[in-house]
Amino acid sequence: MSNFSKWVSYATILIASGCTAGGTVASKLPPRTPHRPVSITLPKPTTQAIRPKVPSRPSPPPSAQAPPQSAQATPKASAKPERPEAEISDSQISDSPAPPHDLVLDLPDSAEEEEYAPGKRATPATGGQTPTPFLYDVPIVRNSAVDRWIEYFTGPGRKNFSEWLRRGGRYMNRFREILREKGLPQDLAYLALIESGFSLRARSRAGAVGPWQFMRATARRKGLKVNRYIDERRDPDKATRAAALFLGELHEEFQDWHLALAAYNSGENRVRRAIRRTGRKTYWALVRTRHLPKETKNYVPKFLAGMIIAKNPEVFGFSGIEYARPLRYDTVALPRGMSLRAISRLAGVSLKELAELNSELRWYVTPPIKGHLLRLPTGKAGQFLELLANSPKAFLPESGRYRILPGDTFGAIALRFGIRLEKLLELNAHLNPKRLRVGTRILLPKRKKPRKVTIAKMKTRPKNQAARNGSRKRRSDRHVVGPGENVWVIARRYGVSPNQILRLNGLSPSTTIFPGKRLRIHQ
């Protein structure tokens, strides 16, 4: 047999044995079955799952925002993607400084497809008793977006909404009166409900302040003063008049209250640009585009939901609310700048009540000008003006002759002259304690006149008084560092050089000293 024949026979034997083994192994494997998908049933979202989202920073441009994917609100991503922001509970919202202006919900997709439906009567989302007919002077719409906010305000946000309604009793009548004087719909007063919850000191994440949430530039453009002493965005009367002026201008331009409200929230330029690029002329048509930010898409439904509930709160389960009493006060013109502490002593009014009535003041001091209008509780103006006229020197600051020197602080000056730091800050509230300029004249309490001592009184003086006086004149070898002091101030106080203090205490010129540290002054 040739070699070729041998190799062929060997290959035939190997192939036969391999096929047998392979057939045996294959017979032991389980039969293959086609893949079938596994179905998972997800729980249906409930009303209790609705949570507002308070963005940690201003919303991105509309082009960077994705449309909402579901009706249930989901946590919003923070600046760090790996740590999403948790949902905010009712208690956290109550304690949070963020006003209602910053609350945002994920609205259902159907809300953007629903058309404008004016004049629709509002009915409670939770059922129950039939409501009385509602009367509105602002065009009303009831769609799924508005219902989503009604569900939130009557569900997870009920506690906060009740507080906003209670607080609104203090300002609502006055706001409606001002809007009526300006010829605007009185229901616009409910805009302060969803802007700030009727809080005069509310501040948004973007820096808007006051019940109507004005930005600084917009406030100044509408005639409000914002400076070191006062912030009229917190003044309920002046801020409401500025808001009425702004809303009237927006409505005159857009001829639609919903577009005017959208422009009030996002700015008139953004709404103009959205109308120009899309050609759509109504708010509900612009909502279906990407040219309005998510906050503005929430803004009008949130306002309509808040107004619907506030017009008839009992229908939606808000019963037994003890509304705050409307403000009652008298106004007086001050002859010059004064501290609220001095005013409270003269008028017999608590400092807290005085600060609440004059919420536009940024500090516990009025502007250092003549004629500032101060609010006092009803019946207190006469007593205040009488006492002020009879004792002006006791409460009005007197100008001192001291000028700020390099290294001076209010704490060091108070220690040097032996006066109370609180009194020094009260008299110089017009100065920024962190930015004292060299050469600035400051106010010091007027020194008391020395008592006249007769010879008879000197003879009857105790013998040990001389010893006590001598002990006072004895120089001190140690000094405890106080707040605001540095080596230069301490050296000037004791009449020594700063280098001597540094050398005796083993310090270098760049060493930082802290309050409470004991320094050696003399050898």
Side-chain angles (χ1 to χ4, degrees), residues 6 28 121 199 209 211 307 314 318 336 365 431 463 476 489 510:
K6 291 180 180 180
K28 295 181 180 180
R121 178 177 295 182
S199 173
V209 173
M307 180 176 60
E314 292 79 9
F318 292 92
R336 61 175 302 175
V365 65
L431 299 177
K463 296 181 179 180
S476 176
V489 172
S510 60

Side-chain angles (χ1 to χ4, degrees), residues 80-190:
K80 297 182 180 181
E82 65 274 9
R83 296 186 62 185
E85 184 178 352
E87 295 178 348
I88 300 177
S89 63
D90 294 342
S91 60
Q92 290 173 327
I93 296 174
S94 301
D95 299 335
S96 173
H101 174 88
D102 288 341
L103 301 182
V104 177
L105 291 179
D106 279 335
L107 300 180
D109 295 335
S110 60
E112 298 185 359
E113 300 174 358
E114 293 172 345
E115 294 298 333
Y116 175 72
K120 190 173 181 180
R121 178 177 295 182
T123 55
T126 56
Q129 58 178 318
T130 303
T132 56
F134 295 171
L135 299 177
Y136 304 95
D137 52 12
V138 173
I140 191 68
V141 172
R142 185 71 182 270
N143 56 23
S144 57
V146 177
D147 286 342
R148 172 52 62 91
W149 276 104
I150 290 178
E151 291 175 2
Y152 170 72
F153 287 145
T154 58
R158 173 178 292 273
K159 180 180 178 181
N160 292 321
F161 199 85
S162 299
E163 173 62 21
W164 302 340
L165 290 177
R166 184 202 65 80
R167 194 186 296 153
R170 183 174 300 170
Y171 311 106
M172 196 63 190
N173 292 338
R174 183 56 180 163
F175 288 1
R176 296 179 70 92
E177 180 182 350
I178 293 176
L179 292 170
R180 183 174 63 253
E181 292 175 359
K182 300 296 182 180
L184 299 179
Q186 299 181 40
D187 284 346
L188 291 176
Y190 293 105

Side-chain angles (χ1 to χ4, degrees), residues 30-38:
R32 300 182 64 181
T33 58
H35 174 72
R36 297 180 180 178
V38 180

Side-chain angles (χ1 to χ4, degrees), residues 127-365:
Q129 58 178 318
T130 303
T132 56
F134 295 171
L135 299 177
Y136 304 95
D137 52 12
V138 173
I140 191 68
V141 172
R142 185 71 182 270
N143 56 23
S144 57
V146 177
D147 286 342
R148 172 52 62 91
W149 276 104
I150 290 178
E151 291 175 2
Y152 170 72
F153 287 145
T154 58
R158 173 178 292 273
K159 180 180 178 181
N160 292 321
F161 199 85
S162 299
E163 173 62 21
W164 302 340
L165 290 177
R166 184 202 65 80
R167 194 186 296 153
R170 183 174 300 170
Y171 311 106
M172 196 63 190
N173 292 338
R174 183 56 180 163
F175 288 1
R176 296 179 70 92
E177 180 182 350
I178 293 176
L179 292 170
R180 183 174 63 253
E181 292 175 359
K182 300 296 182 180
L184 299 179
Q186 299 181 40
D187 284 346
L188 291 176
Y190 293 105
L191 194 63
L193 173 71
I194 59 100
E195 281 281 3
S196 62
F198 293 106
S199 173
L200 302 184
R201 299 188 178 275
R203 186 181 185 88
S204 72
R205 57 184 173 82
V209 173
W212 295 93
Q213 291 291 282
F214 274 109
M215 297 295 291
R216 183 187 296 265
T218 306
R220 288 175 172 172
R221 195 167 69 245
K222 299 308 172 185
L224 297 179
K225 295 181 181 179
V226 182
N227 53 38
R228 182 182 297 177
Y229 301 100
I230 60 176
D231 188 346
E232 291 184 343
R233 294 177 293 178
R234 297 173 177 171
D235 188 303
D237 277 18
K238 295 180 180 179
T240 303
R241 294 185 183 277
L245 174 63
F246 192 22
L247 289 169
E249 293 174 352
L250 294 175
H251 182 260
E252 183 178 358
E253 176 180 354
F254 296 106
Q255 295 298 312
D256 182 274
W257 276 117
H258 294 162
L259 283 178
L261 293 174
Y264 187 90
N265 173 251
S266 61
E268 55 268 42
N269 290 332
R270 185 189 292 271
V271 176
R272 293 191 197 110
R273 186 165 56 249
I275 294 175
R276 184 175 64 252
R277 292 180 178 178
T278 63
R280 304 186 181 189
K281 301 295 181 65
T282 66
Y283 168 80
W284 301 103
L286 290 176
V287 163
R288 298 195 293 270
T289 69
R290 61 180 179 84
H291 295 282
L292 289 183
K294 190 172 184 178
E295 180 180 315
T296 306
K297 293 180 179 181
N298 274 264
Y299 189 75
V300 175
K302 180 165 56 173
F303 164 70
L304 295 176
M307 180 176 60
I308 289 172
I309 299 174
K311 294 281 282 189
N312 200 341
E314 292 79 9
V315 173
F316 295 90
F318 292 92
S319 58
I321 297 178
E322 297 181 0
Y323 291 93
R325 295 181 179 179
L327 292 178
R328 297 287 185 269
Y329 55 84
D330 296 328
T331 305
V332 297
L334 296 179
R336 61 175 302 175
M338 297 181 63
S339 69
L340 291 188
R341 296 185 184 276
I343 296 172
S344 67
R345 292 194 297 267
L346 286 172
V349 182
S350 66
L351 187 61
K352 180 180 179 181
E353 184 178 4
L354 198 60
E356 290 178 353
L357 286 176
N358 299 273
S359 55
E360 75 279 5
L361 296 178
R362 301 185 65 179
W363 314 100
Y364 278 14
V365 65

Side-chain angles (χ1 to χ4, degrees), residues 407 409 412 415 478-494 497-521:
T409 63
L415 290 175
R478 300 284 180 178
H479 175 79
V480 179
V481 178
E485 289 187 330
N486 54 38
V487 174
W488 191 90
V489 172
I490 298 172
R492 192 175 61 176
R493 177 178 180 180
Y494 289 95
S497 65
N499 291 333
Q500 177 178 330
I501 297 179
L502 295 175
R503 178 173 50 82
L504 292 177
N505 294 274
L507 304 176
S508 63
S510 60
T511 303
T512 303
I513 58 175
F514 298 94
K517 182 178 178 61
R518 297 179 64 87
L519 295 179
R520 187 176 178 183
I521 305 301

